[in-house]
Amino acid sequence: MAVSIIDSSIFQGIFSSDAMREVWSDENRTRKYLDIEAALARVQGRLGLIPADAADEIVSHCRLDQIDMAKLRTQTERIGYPILGVVSQLNALCRDKLGEYCHWGATTQDITDTATVLQIREALELVDADLAAIGKALAKLAKEHRLTPMIGRSNLQQAIPVTFGYKMAGLLSAVQRHRERLVQLRERVLVGEFAGAAGTLASLERGAMETQAGLCAELGLAQPVIAWHTIRDNIAEVGAFLGLVGGTLGKLSMDVKLMMQTEVGEVYEPYHHGRGSSSTMPQKRNPISSCYIHAAISVVRQHAAALMDAMVADHERSTGPWEIEWIVLPEAFCLMAGALKQARAVVEGLEVDAAAMRRNLDMTHGLVMSEAVMMGLGPYIGREYAHDLVYDICREALKQQRPLLDLLAEHPQINKHLDRAALARLCDPANYLGQSGTMVDRVLARQAPSRP
């Protein structure tokens, strides 16, 4: 019986992905425990810390199909942690009590933390793949609409012209930074844990550091400099990263929602028959994916804060903060997968209405070009005086419901410096795009072939 939206048979495909749910599943988590126990046995067998035949026997049983998951649940509920249940089952499976060498010198948190890091590694690969696809789609939009003029907005009011390519390039630049952060984050986060009861590896009289190094090498993880049982900035950084990615996806979804408004109509989420319709209003085309993105990333942001709380751990092994990670880390990744999936669908199939963008640019009959006019008049009558003069003319244009150009051309303090043709050039949005194209090109230049 599923109660979480992530595991709901109805909603799971909307708010998460099958691949990410598999990463954080009980089966994959338990498989990671077994992988670590097998690696530990191999390393300690090579080092002569445990008998070679014990290592071989332990490794032969470190398979998920040999673990009784129902029994593991019962053991976990009784003990409080699943690791001892896994180890006890392995021990029972091994012949001649060779299983007693399983988990040699390790503690529960060593195996749990290392398993979590292995899951994070898999999960980050999925996140990066989606970020790469979103970046590719944004780059395509930025290139195609490099000089497609549209109105820029400030405080939800029309400001000055920009280009749609510029808008997409801004989002692309954030995606590029997220992928850079991910590269940097991996070096700090993909680190194993093998440190014993209080982190000092006192449980092994010899070969302690060699075991730690060998175990991490077997698993493809970096060796820790010191135990991190209660030093959790690495896990919190993962949460912060997910929060940052979510913020960018939220910005995308917010703009799409606003641009899909009936009165705006500049872009639309990809069309699928019946998608976004209303049970009572057949004409509607709701921004469904953007709504899902907004909901998912809002929860991820709260989970990032919870992972910060988990950093406040007591002494060398904590009483409660650690378990916060068990709750929120899987859900944060799963919700992020859903938000990324929805965002990817939006940008890969976004419908752009350039004619509507131009229509909205022209709806004020030139008022949005007031800054351009002010700057154009500045050399003749001074910028501040030009500001006040254009301000008054804009109010008059609104009052008379006439094009700004007409009033500018009629004004004696203006037409003696600039004729109507010159003023018309100042009032053309296509002539006031600033460095939009150059900025788009600079972002696209960072989208190297090696960064799909």
Side-chain angles (χ1 to χ4, degrees), residues 1-10 12 21 73:
M1 179 175 62
V3 294
S4 166
I5 203 160
I6 290 170
D7 292 321
S8 164
S9 60
I10 298 172
Q12 63 181 231
R21 290 171 62 249
R73 172 182 171 174

Side-chain angles (χ1 to χ4, degrees), residues 80-95:
Y81 305 98
I83 301 303
L84 184 54
V86 170
V87 171
S88 67
Q89 289 196 42
L90 285 174
N91 192 357
L93 289 166
C94 292
R95 62 179 173 83

Side-chain angles (χ1 to χ4, degrees), residues 54-68:
D56 293 340
E57 181 68 11
I58 292 165
V59 170
S60 72
H61 294 291
C62 286
R63 302 201 312 267
L64 187 63
D65 60 7
Q66 295 200 30
I67 297 298
D68 184 332

Side-chain angles (χ1 to χ4, degrees), residues 355-369:
M357 291 177 179
R358 181 67 202 209
R359 184 173 64 248
N360 291 334
L361 262 177
D362 295 336
M363 69 184 299
T364 64
H365 305 294
L367 293 182
V368 295
M369 301 307 298

Side-chain angles (χ1 to χ4, degrees), residues 25-34 63-77 82 85-86 89:
S25 67
D26 289 339
E27 291 78 11
N28 193 48
R29 183 184 302 109
T30 305
R31 190 181 296 112
K32 295 292 183 284
Y33 298 156
L34 296 169
R63 302 201 312 267
L64 187 63
D65 60 7
Q66 295 200 30
I67 297 298
D68 184 332
M69 295 298 287
K71 183 178 180 180
L72 181 59
R73 172 182 171 174
T74 301
Q75 292 171 311
T76 301
E77 289 174 353
V86 170
Q89 289 196 42

Side-chain angles (χ1 to χ4, degrees), residues 255-282:
D255 279 2
V256 169
K257 285 186 290 184
L258 292 172
M259 295 170 75
M260 278 186 69
Q261 291 181 103
T262 305
E263 296 84 355
V264 180
E266 293 174 342
V267 303
Y268 293 94
E269 290 184 359
Y271 175 77
H272 300 287
H273 182 72
R275 183 171 176 82
S277 62
S278 164
S279 62
T280 58
M281 296 168 282

